[in-house]
Amino acid sequence: GAVVSQHPSRVICKSGTSVKIECRSLDFQATTMFWYRQFPKQSLMLMATSNEGSKATYEQGVEKDKFLINHASLTLSTLTVTSAHPEDSSFYICSARDLQGAAGNQPQHFGDGTRLSIL
Amino acid sequence: AQSVAQPEDQVNVAEGNPLTVKCTYSVSGNPYLFWYVQYPNRGLQFLLKYITGDNLVKGSYGFEAEFNKSQTSFHLKKPSALVSDSALYFCASHSGGYQKVTFGTGTKLQVIP
C-alpha cells in the first residue's frame, strides 16, 4: 500500500528556533499534499494544501510567513515552522494524495505525525 | 459547503459487545464518505469508504459502515469489539479536484476488558 513517511517524529527545541518537517511519499507520486495541525483531544485542522510546483494554499487564519511550505517534487513536501514559540507546540500531520486520488474516491495517505514541543 | 458531524466525543463499550460510532453528513451532490482510525501519537489509517453501490461497506479489522441516504448517516459498526479497537475514529467527506477533506470532530472509542 501507499506509504507516507514523515520526519522527524518528535522535536523538542528552544523558542525562536526554526523547525523543518518533511513529508515523503515513498511508493507513489503525490501531486497534492496536505498539512494538518491537531490539538489534544481535537480534530485535525487543515493548515494548507501543497501542490507540486506551485504555491501552497493556506487556510484562513494560518500565517504564511510562519508556516512555510515547499513542495518541490512529486514525493516531498516540507513544512517549516519559523521562529517557533511555545504556542506552536502541537502535533503536525501530513497527508498525500496520488494521481488516482484526485477524483476524491480514494483515501488519503497519512504520515505518522510530528510532535513539536517548543520550550 | 460540506460538513460531517460526529455527535459523540466518546463511546464506551465492553469487549465482545457490538459497537457503533455515529456520523452524519451534509454534502452537496454524491458524497464520498470515509472512516479513518488514529492510534496515539500516530497518523490516520484508512478503514473503509463509501463511494457508490451497496449501502453496507466492509473494511479493515472487521469494521463495516452503513450508508443511509435518507438519514444522511454513515455509522461505523463492528459486531464484536476488541480492546485493541480502542482509538480515535474520524468520519470524513472527500470531494474531487483539489478541494480539501472535511473531517468530523472525532470519537474516542474505549473498549473495556
Side-chain angles (χ1 to χ4, degrees), chain A residues 21-25 30 33 50 70-78:
Chain A
I21 302 170
E22 293 187 347
C23 182
R24 294 181 184 273
S25 57
M33 290 186 175
S50 168
N70 183 280
H71 193 159
S73 77
L74 285 173
T75 59
L76 175 64
S77 176
T78 60

Side-chain angles (χ1 to χ4, degrees), chain B residues 1-108:
Chain B
Q2 297 184 110
S3 67
V4 175
Q6 292 180 245
E8 302 155 317
D9 289 338
Q10 181 160 337
V11 170
N12 296 322
V13 63
E15 186 177 23
N17 282 5
L19 69 88
T20 298
V21 183
K22 296 180 180 178
C23 172
T24 58
Y25 65 90
S26 175
V27 302
S28 56
N30 295 321
Y32 292 166
L33 299 170
F34 292 71
W35 276 101
Y36 293 89
V37 60
Q38 184 182 29
Y39 296 99
N41 295 311
R42 300 292 298 276
L44 277 67
Q45 297 177 30
F46 167 69
L47 276 181
L48 50 79
K49 66 179 180 180
Y50 172 81
I51 304 300
T52 187
D54 290 341
N55 290 340
L56 184 65
V57 293
K58 295 184 183 297
S60 307
Y61 312 119
F63 284 93
E64 58 188 29
E66 185 171 8
F67 172 71
N68 188 316
K69 189 172 183 178
S70 63
Q71 297 185 7
T72 61
S73 67
F74 189 56
H75 300 332
L76 180 71
K77 300 181 179 183
K78 187 173 182 179
S80 178
L82 300 173
V83 173
S84 57
D85 293 329
S86 299
L88 190 57
Y89 290 81
F90 289 98
C91 183
S93 173
H94 289 204
S95 61
Y98 292 107
Q99 295 180 42
K100 60 189 178 184
V101 174
T102 301
F103 285 97
T105 49
T107 299
K108 182 179 180 181

Side-chain angles (χ1 to χ4, degrees), chain A residues 11-61:
Chain A
V11 179
I12 302 172
C13 58
K14 295 180 179 179
S15 183
T17 306
S18 291
V19 179
K20 180 185 285 189
I21 302 170
E22 293 187 347
C23 182
R24 294 181 184 273
S25 57
L26 297 186
D27 50 2
F28 66 99
Q29 293 183 329
T31 55
T32 304
M33 290 186 175
F34 302 89
W35 286 96
Y36 298 88
R37 183 172 178 176
Q38 186 177 30
F39 294 97
K41 299 183 180 180
Q42 292 191 24
S43 186
L44 286 77
M45 181 191 79
L46 179 65
M47 298 174 65
T49 301
S50 168
N51 297 308
E52 186 269 335
S54 64
K55 290 183 179 180
T57 302
Y58 289 82
E59 295 299 301
Q60 191 172 10

Side-chain angles (χ1 to χ4, degrees), chain A residues 39-109:
Chain A
F39 294 97
K41 299 183 180 180
Q42 292 191 24
S43 186
L44 286 77
M45 181 191 79
L46 179 65
M47 298 174 65
T49 301
S50 168
N51 297 308
E52 186 269 335
S54 64
K55 290 183 179 180
T57 302
Y58 289 82
E59 295 299 301
Q60 191 172 10
V62 178
E63 298 177 57
K64 300 178 182 180
D65 295 332
K66 176 73 171 177
F67 299 99
L68 300 179
I69 292 173
N70 183 280
H71 193 159
S73 77
L74 285 173
T75 59
L76 175 64
S77 176
T78 60
L79 168 67
T80 300
V81 183
T82 61
S83 186
H85 292 284
E87 59 266 28
D88 299 322
S89 298
S90 193
F91 192 56
Y92 293 87
I93 305 175
C94 72
S95 71
R97 189 174 65 188
D98 58 22
L99 294 175
Q100 285 73 33
N105 59 1
Q106 297 298 325
Q108 291 195 1
H109 310 293

